Amino acid sequence: MVKRNVDLRSDTVTKPTEAMRAAMAIAEVDDDVLGNDPLALKLETEMAKLMGKEAALFVPSGTMGNLISVLVHCDIRGSEVILGDNSHIHVYENGGIATIGGVHSRTVKNKDDGTMDIDLIEAAIRNPKGELFFPTTRLICLENTHANSGGKCLHVEYIDKVGELAKKHDLKLHIDGARIFNASIALGVSVDRLVQATDSVSVCLSKGLGAPVGSVIVGSKSFIAKAKRVRKTLGGGMRQIGILCAAALVAIKDNVPKLATDHQNAKLLASELNQINGLKVDPKSVETNIIFLEIEQDSKISAESLCKNLEEHGILLMQESSSRIRMVVHHQISASDVNYTINCIKQFVCGYPLQSGY
Ligand SMILES: *Cc1c(COP(=O)(O)O)cnc(C)c1O
C-alpha cells in the first residue's frame, strides 16, 4: 500500500501544479526592480482589475504586504492603527508595524465572527487634532476571511459600514485579504465589490490560490507608488520575478474556481468529525476552508496523540493546544483524502478497523 500524503496543516503547503511549472519554465522575464518584468506587470494589471483598484504590486509575502500597507498609510511618526486583538497583523507578524514602522497598535476585541464592534472601533479613534498626549489614529485594519476565528467571512455590508466610519473620521481602511477570494466565493459577492470601501488590500497568492510564492497589494496609483519605495526599503524589490508571477497567473485562473469545492470538503469533514464521540466541531462555524477541531475534556485521546497517530497514516494536522487542532482544506485535498482522514480519525478515536480501499 502506498503511503498517502494528506497535508491539512495549512493552505500554504500546496505544491506548484504541472501547469504552473510549465508556465514557469517558459516565462519571459526581465528586471522587475527596473520595472521591466512583463509577467509581473501582467499579474499586477490583472489583480488591480480583479480587485477594482487602480494599481497593484507583487510582494514576497503576506506579512510584507501588510507591513508595507500600514507603513504607507501611517507615514507620519506617532500614528496609530486600530486592529483586531486576534488579527494576523497583531498576533503573527512579529510586531513589525511597531518595530520597523514605529506605528502604535490600538486593539479592539475580535468577536467570534471575526468582526470588531463598529461602536468600539469608533470609540477607539483618537486625537484628530494632534493633542499633546495621544498618538493619532490614521488607519483601521480588517481581516477577511478572519483566520483565527476559523476562516469566517466579513460581509460586504459590514465592510461598507467600517468604510463609512473611516471616511467620516478621515482614516484609511486596509484589509488583510490573505484569503479574500475564499470570502468572495463563500459569500457569492465579487471580490471587487467586497473590497470597494477599502483603500488597500493585501492578497496571498500562496494560500488557497496555490501559487508557490507571493502576495499582491492593491490600491490607488499614489498608494502603490509609495508602496514600491517601501518594498525596496524592506529588501522586497526582486529581479526576475516573472517566474513567480507566471505561476500566480495560472493559480488565479485554475484555482479560484476550485475554492467552492474546498469549502464543501471542509464542511463535510467538519460534520463527519462532529459525529465522533469525544470530538467537537460546529459545522455551522465552518464558512470557508478552516476547521478548528476540539477534543472534549473527558476524551481518552489528546490532540497530541491524535496528531501523532494520523502522521503515521500520512495525514498532517496542526496542533494548536492540548485540546485544539487546526485543519485547512486546499485544492490538493480531494474528496477521497477527506474520507480517508475521517476513517483514520474514527479508527483511532473509536477503535474502528480501517475500511478497505484506502
Ligand atoms: C498567512 C497570512 C498572512 C501572512 O502571509 P505570509 O505570506 O505567511 O507572510 C497574513 N494574514 C493572514 C490572515 C494570513 O492567514
Side-chain angles (χ1 to χ4, degrees), residues 232-247:
K232 191 78 186 83
T233 308
L234 295 173
M238 300 182 292
R239 303 295 177 176
Q240 284 73 25
I241 59 172
I243 299 257
L244 304 175
C245 297

Side-chain angles (χ1 to χ4, degrees), residues 10-12 59-66 87-89 92-93 143-148 176-179 202 204-207 213-215 290 326:
S10 176
D11 47 9
T12 56
V59 293
S61 68
T63 299
M64 194 188 283
N66 284 329
S87 64
H88 197 281
I89 297 178
Y92 296 117
E93 298 183 11
E143 182 177 317
N144 200 12
T145 65
H146 190 267
N148 265 358
D176 175 354
R179 298 189 180 85
S202 160
C204 278
L205 301 163
S206 61
K207 296 264 166 93
V213 180
S215 280
I290 303 177
R326 190 181 86 148

Side-chain angles (χ1 to χ4, degrees), residues 228-289:
K228 209 177 252 186
R229 288 188 62 108
V230 177
R231 181 184 69 173
K232 191 78 186 83
T233 308
L234 295 173
M238 300 182 292
R239 303 295 177 176
Q240 284 73 25
I241 59 172
I243 299 257
L244 304 175
C245 297
L249 284 161
V250 174
I252 294 165
K253 182 164 75 62
D254 287 357
N255 294 341
V256 171
K258 292 182 187 158
L259 294 173
T261 309
D262 295 346
H263 299 169
Q264 278 165 17
N265 282 335
K267 284 195 179 86
L268 173 66
L269 197 50
S271 65
E272 290 289 322
L273 295 180
N274 193 40
Q275 286 170 33
I276 299 175
N277 252 342
L279 302 184
K280 214 175 94 188
V281 42
D282 177 6
K284 281 200 299 295
S285 75
V286 179
E287 297 178 5
T288 55
N289 65 333

Side-chain angles (χ1 to χ4, degrees), residues 283-321:
K284 281 200 299 295
S285 75
V286 179
E287 297 178 5
T288 55
N289 65 333
I290 303 177
I291 297 162
F292 285 124
L293 176 65
E294 301 285 343
I295 316 285
E296 288 182 330
Q297 255 177 4
D298 52 3
S299 173
K300 287 190 287 293
I301 62 148
S302 66
E304 192 181 358
S305 67
L306 180 58
C307 289
K308 270 217 175 93
N309 179 272
L310 289 183
E311 203 172 330
E312 286 165 22
H313 291 95
I315 301 169
L316 301 178
L317 312 177
M318 184 88 87
Q319 192 191 332
E320 294 249 314
S321 74

Side-chain angles (χ1 to χ4, degrees), residues 6 24 59 68 94 119 186 208 242 244 264 283 298 306 323 341 345:
V6 182
M24 293 168 89
V59 293
I68 291 172
N94 268 317
D119 292 337
L244 304 175
Q264 278 165 17
D298 52 3
L306 180 58
S323 63
T341 302
I345 293 179

Side-chain angles (χ1 to χ4, degrees), residues 159-198:
I159 299 169
D160 285 353
K161 273 194 197 135
V162 177
E164 275 168 34
L165 180 71
K167 278 223 164 63
K168 180 174 144 197
H169 292 275
D170 203 19
L171 308 176
K172 301 293 186 200
L173 175 61
H174 171 73
I175 289 192
D176 175 354
R179 298 189 180 85
I180 195 75
F181 282 94
N182 292 84
S184 161
I185 296 281
L187 294 169
V189 177
S190 69
V191 73
D192 59 327
R193 175 66 193 87
L194 200 51
V195 303
Q196 194 176 297
T198 65

